[in-house]
Amino acid sequence: LIPNEIVRATRGRLACGNALAMLNGVCTSLSAVSPGCLFVPLKIDGADGHRDIDTALSRGAGGALCERSSGKLGGLAKKWPLKILVDVDDILQGLLNLACFWRHKINAPAVIGTHGSEPILNLAATMLKAKKNPLYLQTHKNALHETALNLLGLTANHGWVLIEMKHDCAETAERLCEMCMPSIAVVT
């Protein structure tokens, strides 16, 4: 990913860093930080990942998303002027938008199925494996960020994305469909 793509996908603003630099991968926890990755500080279980941005950058992350309302951007930009910092309105929505952008960049068709569609998706996976190795994801309502991270791991070698929504996804089906933009939907 390059910063201009991240800015466009997240509808953010590049606060500092080289717009032509290359970032390798996306992570949401300090334990997953790798050299050159984009750190996305999610708010999970009452914990705000924004407090970890400085540590992530010191551990080698190439950049981070930073929610405008966090109040952290100014200080981070002064301390890390060469790192990529993208100012966004909403961290989770930024991550979901980035995953959607990536799926389209890779140009992999997506099949999404409601709860109970597992046999059909398994059959589709078996048939598609003859051509490529599809990325098969299962998701539930509290795991949109995990689904987004998995989509960001999509490569041209996958060819297809198969997503099974678990029974508790009805509340988030709309957001999941916006992020994945499925080519085919299986409703059971």
Side-chain angles (χ1 to χ4, degrees):
L1 290 168
I2 60 173
N4 286 341
E5 292 175 328
I6 296 167
V7 167
R8 188 171 70 240
T10 62
R11 298 179 189 102
R13 179 185 64 86
L14 184 62
C16 66
N18 181 347
L20 300 176
M22 180 65 85
L23 295 174
N24 302 309
V26 177
C27 68
T28 58
S29 69
L30 290 176
S31 62
V33 170
S34 60
C37 72
L38 175 70
F39 181 71
V40 179
L42 294 176
K43 298 174 184 176
I44 299 175
D45 298 327
D48 187 352
H50 283 85
R51 70 173 195 272
D52 297 329
I53 295 175
D54 189 56
T55 304
L57 295 173
S58 69
R59 290 186 181 177
L65 296 185
C66 187
E67 199 167 275
R68 193 165 292 122
S69 64
S70 72
K72 302 259 184 196
L73 191 62
L76 290 167
K78 285 180 186 172
K79 184 173 182 179
W80 302 100
L82 300 179
K83 298 281 187 171
I84 305 302
L85 291 175
V86 178
D87 180 22
V88 296
D89 287 329
D90 179 270
I91 287 293
L92 179 58
Q93 191 59 52
L95 178 62
L96 300 182
N97 291 346
L98 191 58
C100 178
F101 167 84
W102 186 251
R103 188 187 81 67
H104 285 288
K105 182 175 180 171
I106 297 297
N107 197 25
V111 178
I112 193 165
T114 58
H115 179 64
S117 63
E118 184 178 1
I120 296 167
L121 292 176
N122 283 334
L123 178 61
T126 301
M127 292 179 351
L128 293 170
K129 280 184 182 176
K131 288 186 141 193
K132 300 237 179 177
N133 188 24
L135 179 63
Y136 194 163
L137 307 173
Q138 293 181 328
T139 189
H140 54 87
K141 70 178 177 182
N142 295 322
L144 280 175
H145 66 284
E146 293 172 9
T147 303
L149 287 171
N150 285 321
L151 279 176
L152 287 161
L154 181 67
T155 69
N157 292 332
H158 288 111
W160 283 80
V161 181
L162 301 169
I163 303 160
E164 179 189 357
M165 292 188 292
K166 292 307 205 179
H167 65 280
D168 60 357
C169 271
E171 299 168 24
T172 54
E174 183 178 356
R175 286 183 89 183
L176 184 62
C177 287
E178 286 174 0
M179 175 179 61
C180 301
M181 297 190 73
S183 310
I184 300 168
V186 178
V187 180
T188 57

